[in-house]
Amino acid sequence: MRVIVVKDYDAMSQEAFRLMKATLTEKKDAVLGLATGSTPIGLYREMIADYRAGGTSYRDVRTFNLDEYVGLDVSSDQSYVYFMRNNLFDHIDVLPENTNIENGKAEDPEAECARYNALLSETEIDLQILGIGSNGHIAFNEPGTPFDSVTHVVALAESTVKDNSRLFKSIDEVPRRAFTMGLANIMAAKKVVILANGANKARAVYGLCRGEITEQLPASILQKHPDCTLICDEAAASLL
Ligand code: F6R
């Protein structure tokens, strides 16, 4: 795993954008794997600024998001589909029909997982962007998730519910279940860029790149990925 330590959040976002731009320059119709949460917002801002300045077009790009809460769709401003539109899709020229995310309101969650897995098995993600949970999760693959997992429904760990409650009016409103791409789906991406900032990620970042490869710290499987880059700020790198 390549490790790039930068000063702060802005520098992390700029570095991530540099790698994103390289992928898109090489391949106009790249397939991007995208994440939500606080971590990639700066990268998305860089993408929007570059697009507005006449830089990169997303006309031929396809996207696959990692995860979505069960029970929420775009009518909820806490849903990840709303997040993606608000923070990225509505501000670049990506075609809505080329963006993919699990349907949080699917009547049959198992069928929805099968639909998403079928889509993923037909395509190769060129660049997968990831954040990391303070417990070492990637997407919503919580500690204990098998390394060979594909898209499935998970019960969120209590620590994740707590971490994510900052974005809801109260902790009781945080959905307890989510759809998530599995670890095998993530490992199938050609290139992975994982971002981390802040001291609360330091332990997870240590486990990600220096710890034992264990299902107890799902991100540690990335040590086996042939093309994975960690970009983190000094606070997140403090235990390395
Ligand atoms: C989001 C996702 C999660 C987050 C992680 C970190 O799509 O898959 O794994 O990347 O929970 O969240 P933030 O960035 O809010 O600290």
Coordinates of all heavy atoms in Angstrom, one line a residue, residues 35-40 66-67 80 130-133 137-140 164 166 201, ligand 1:
A35 N -17.9 7.2 -2.4 CA -18.3 7.1 -1.0 C -19.0 8.4 -0.5 O -18.9 9.4 -1.2 CB -17.0 6.9 -0.1
T36 N -19.7 8.2 0.6 CA -20.4 9.4 1.2 C -19.6 9.7 2.5 O -18.5 9.2 2.7 CB -21.9 9.2 1.5 OG1 -21.9 8.0 2.3 CG2 -22.6 8.9 0.2
G37 N -20.2 10.5 3.4 CA -19.6 10.9 4.6 C -18.8 12.2 4.5 O -18.7 12.8 3.4
S38 N -18.2 12.6 5.6 CA -17.5 13.9 5.6 C -16.2 13.8 4.8 O -15.8 14.8 4.2 CB -17.1 14.2 7.1 OG -18.2 14.0 7.9
T39 N -15.6 12.7 4.8 CA -14.2 12.6 4.2 C -14.1 13.0 2.8 O -13.2 13.8 2.4 CB -13.7 11.2 4.4 OG1 -13.8 10.8 5.8 CG2 -12.2 11.1 4.1
P40 N -15.0 12.5 1.9 CA -14.7 12.8 0.4 C -15.3 14.1 0.0 O -15.2 14.5 -1.2 CB -15.4 11.6 -0.3 CG -16.5 11.2 0.6 CD -16.0 11.5 2.0
L66 N -21.1 3.1 -2.7 CA -20.8 2.0 -1.8 C -22.1 1.5 -1.0 O -22.3 0.3 -0.9 CB -19.8 2.4 -0.7 CG -18.4 2.6 -1.2 CD1 -17.6 3.3 -0.1 CD2 -17.8 1.2 -1.5
D67 N -22.8 2.5 -0.5 CA -23.8 2.1 0.5 C -25.0 3.1 0.6 O -25.0 4.2 0.0 CB -23.2 1.9 1.9 CG -22.1 2.9 2.2 OD1 -22.1 4.0 1.5 OD2 -21.3 2.7 3.0
Y80 N -28.2 8.7 1.3 CA -26.9 8.8 0.5 C -27.1 9.3 -0.9 O -26.3 9.9 -1.5 CB -26.1 7.6 0.7 CG -25.4 7.4 2.0 CD1 -24.8 6.2 2.4 CD2 -25.5 8.4 3.0 CE1 -24.2 6.1 3.6 CE2 -24.9 8.3 4.2 CZ -24.3 7.1 4.5 OH -23.7 7.0 5.8
L130 N -12.6 5.5 -1.0 CA -13.1 5.0 0.3 C -12.8 6.0 1.4 O -11.7 6.7 1.4 CB -12.4 3.7 0.7 CG -12.6 2.5 -0.2 CD1 -11.8 1.3 0.3 CD2 -14.1 2.0 -0.2
G131 N -13.7 6.1 2.4 CA -13.3 6.6 3.7 C -13.1 5.4 4.6 O -13.2 4.3 4.2
I132 N -12.9 5.7 5.9 CA -12.7 4.6 6.8 C -13.4 5.0 8.1 O -13.4 6.1 8.6 CB -11.2 4.3 7.1 CG1 -11.0 3.1 8.0 CG2 -10.4 5.5 7.6 CD1 -9.6 2.5 8.1
G133 N -14.1 4.0 8.7 CA -14.8 4.3 10.0 C -13.8 4.2 11.1 O -12.7 3.6 11.0
H137 N -14.2 0.1 9.7 CA -15.0 -0.4 8.6 C -14.7 0.4 7.3 O -14.2 1.5 7.3 CB -16.5 -0.3 9.0 CG -17.1 1.1 9.0 ND1 -18.1 1.5 9.9 CD2 -16.9 2.2 8.2 CE1 -18.5 2.7 9.7 NE2 -17.7 3.2 8.7
I138 N -15.0 -0.3 6.2 CA -15.0 0.4 4.9 C -16.4 0.1 4.3 O -16.9 -1.0 4.4 CB -13.8 0.0 3.9 CG1 -13.6 -1.5 3.9 CG2 -12.6 0.7 4.3 CD1 -12.5 -2.0 2.9
A139 N -16.9 1.0 3.5 CA -18.4 1.0 3.2 C -19.0 0.8 4.6 O -18.6 1.3 5.6 CB -18.7 0.0 2.2
F140 N -20.0 -0.1 4.6 CA -20.6 -0.4 6.0 C -20.3 -1.8 6.4 O -21.0 -2.5 7.0 CB -22.1 -0.2 6.0 CG -22.5 1.2 6.3 CD1 -23.5 1.9 5.6 CD2 -21.9 2.0 7.3 CE1 -23.9 3.2 5.8 CE2 -22.3 3.3 7.6 CZ -23.3 3.9 6.8
N164 N -22.4 8.5 13.2 CA -23.2 9.1 12.1 C -24.4 9.9 12.7 O -25.0 10.7 12.0 CB -23.8 8.0 11.2 CG -22.7 7.4 10.4 OD1 -21.5 7.7 10.5 ND2 -23.0 6.5 9.5
R166 N -24.3 12.5 14.3 CA -24.0 13.9 14.2 C -24.7 14.6 13.0 O -25.0 15.8 12.9 CB -22.5 14.2 14.1 CG -21.9 13.8 12.8 CD -20.3 13.9 12.8 NE -19.7 13.8 11.5 CZ -19.5 12.6 10.9 NH1 -19.9 11.5 11.5 NH2 -19.0 12.5 9.7
K201 N -9.4 8.9 13.6 CA -9.2 7.8 12.6 C -7.8 7.1 12.8 O -7.5 6.2 12.1 CB -9.3 8.3 11.2 CG -10.7 8.9 10.8 CD -11.7 7.9 10.8 CE -13.1 8.5 10.6 NZ -13.4 9.0 9.3
Ligands
F6R1 C1 -19.7 6.0 3.3 C2 -19.0 4.9 3.8 C3 -18.4 4.9 5.2 C4 -17.5 6.1 5.5 C5 -17.0 6.0 6.9 C6 -16.3 7.3 7.3 O1 -20.2 5.8 2.0 O2 -18.9 3.9 3.1 O3 -17.5 3.7 5.3 O4 -16.5 6.3 4.6 O5 -18.0 5.8 7.9 O6 -17.2 8.4 7.4 P1 -16.8 9.9 7.5 O7 -16.1 10.2 6.2 O8 -18.1 10.6 7.7 O9 -15.8 10.0 8.7

